[in-house]
Amino acid sequence: MKSSIGSILISLAILGSALVFAQAFKNRHKSNNTISVTGLGSKDFVSDLIVWSGSFHQKDMDLKVAYAQLDKDREAIRNYMISKGLSMENMVFSSVDINKEYENVYDQNGNRIKSVFTGYRLRQSVQIESNEVDKVESISREVTELINAGIEFYSDYPQYYYTKLAELKIEMIAEATKDANVRATRIAENAGSRVGRLKNARMGVFQIVAQNSSEEYTWGGSFNTSSKRKTATITVSLEYETN
């Protein structure tokens, strides 16, 4: 009797082990029936916001004289910008930076003897921000008119931005997802299978580069601000079950 019960228990144990092994094998086999694809979303666009900055300087032994000269330049720059069609709302002038400058005096052996005060150098910058991209771009190229007027003005390169970047990114993600799905479907069909449930989705790096350029992508994502016309790209990686 005891022998029969023992045989039954052993048989049940073997059957149970077989079922567990079969289920594990089935799950492992099922997990391998997947397909991973990457889709691309790409959009060309034109910047709708420009930011342009410049700075101007004055130097004099007398601080009050230097400031008066800088104030005169600031008014001339403001009036120049207004004459070009910009408004006061487009312009932001920074606070004035004041630096004392010295010149070293050396003896005949090249040893520094002392430092001589040469005057106060005052610096101020102006930043132009506008949706009138073409207008500000044109002004930045004509800024030599200020220099010809006797103003020591240093112009920076304009920076170009896009205010609808969030909406653009959503459109691109949808495009990249659709592209990935089409790729997965074609690969599965060629393999005599069908795309099943989506198991995993991962968004890649968002890149913005100049249009028709050789600008390189970076792992952290490029964000071009030096070109008015840009190309944005994004990738989406999808993993599907196949059946």
Side-chain angles (χ1 to χ4, degrees):
M1 183 67 178
K2 290 183 178 180
S3 177
S4 298
I5 295 175
S7 298
I8 293 172
L9 293 175
I10 291 172
S11 298
L12 290 174
I14 293 173
L15 179 61
S17 298
L19 290 173
V20 170
F21 178 77
Q23 186 63 36
F25 180 81
K26 180 180 178 182
N27 291 336
R28 185 181 68 177
H29 182 67
K30 182 178 179 180
S31 66
N32 289 332
N33 289 341
T34 60
I35 182 172
S36 297
V37 291
T38 299
L40 175 67
S42 178
K43 293 285 185 181
D44 291 335
F45 64 95
V46 180
S47 302
D48 62 358
L49 178 68
I50 186 171
V51 178
W52 171 53
S53 300
S55 60
F56 49 103
H57 307 249
Q58 280 291 350
K59 183 178 179 179
D60 198 272
M61 293 292 291
D62 189 313
L63 180 59
K64 291 183 178 179
V65 173
Y67 188 84
Q69 293 172 339
L70 191 75
D71 187 58
K72 182 179 178 182
D73 287 346
R74 182 174 57 250
E75 288 303 310
I77 292 169
R78 180 184 287 113
N79 292 334
Y80 174 81
M81 298 299 178
I82 292 174
S83 71
K84 294 293 183 178
L86 298 178
S87 67
M88 289 292 296
E89 296 177 352
N90 299 127
M91 292 175 274
V92 176
F93 286 88
S94 69
S95 57
V96 178
D97 291 330
I98 303 175
N99 288 302
K100 292 182 178 180
E101 293 190 348
Y102 296 85
E103 184 177 300
N104 293 324
V105 178
Y106 299 89
D107 62 19
Q108 59 183 3
N109 296 319
N111 299 313
R112 187 172 68 87
I113 302 174
K114 60 181 178 178
S115 294
V116 178
F117 177 66
T118 59
Y120 295 94
R121 179 172 290 278
L122 276 58
R123 177 185 180 277
Q124 192 169 22
S125 62
V126 58
Q127 179 174 286
I128 311 296
E129 184 174 318
S130 174
N131 295 115
E132 296 181 285
V133 178
D134 293 337
K135 177 185 288 187
V136 176
E137 188 178 52
S138 176
I139 295 173
S140 70
R141 294 185 182 129
E142 298 168 355
V143 75
T144 50
E145 295 176 0
L146 285 172
I147 298 174
N148 293 333
I151 298 174
E152 191 178 351
F153 189 84
Y154 298 89
S155 174
D156 297 330
Y157 290 107
Q159 302 295 305
Y160 301 90
Y161 300 91
Y162 190 58
T163 59
K164 301 175 183 178
L165 206 56
E167 295 92 330
L168 179 68
K169 193 172 183 179
I170 292 174
E171 292 178 13
M172 291 170 57
I173 291 173
E175 180 183 341
T177 302
K178 182 179 179 180
D179 181 53
N181 182 266
V182 170
R183 292 171 187 266
T185 300
R186 289 179 180 175
I187 293 173
E189 289 176 350
N190 290 334
S193 184
R194 292 184 303 170
V195 172
R197 181 177 65 90
L198 177 64
K199 293 185 61 179
N200 186 39
R202 182 170 54 86
M203 186 174 68
V205 178
F206 188 52
Q207 309 272 2
I208 297 179
V209 298
Q211 281 185 27
N212 304 317
S213 72
S214 59
E215 191 173 349
E216 295 183 356
Y217 292 149
T218 65
W219 287 107
S222 300
F223 191 84
N224 177 286
T225 59
S226 60
S227 300
K228 180 168 62 175
R229 300 181 183 278
K230 311 176 193 290
T231 298
T233 60
I234 195 168
T235 57
V236 172
S237 298
L238 304 180
E239 184 181 9
Y240 290 96
E241 289 182 354
T242 58
N243 47 52

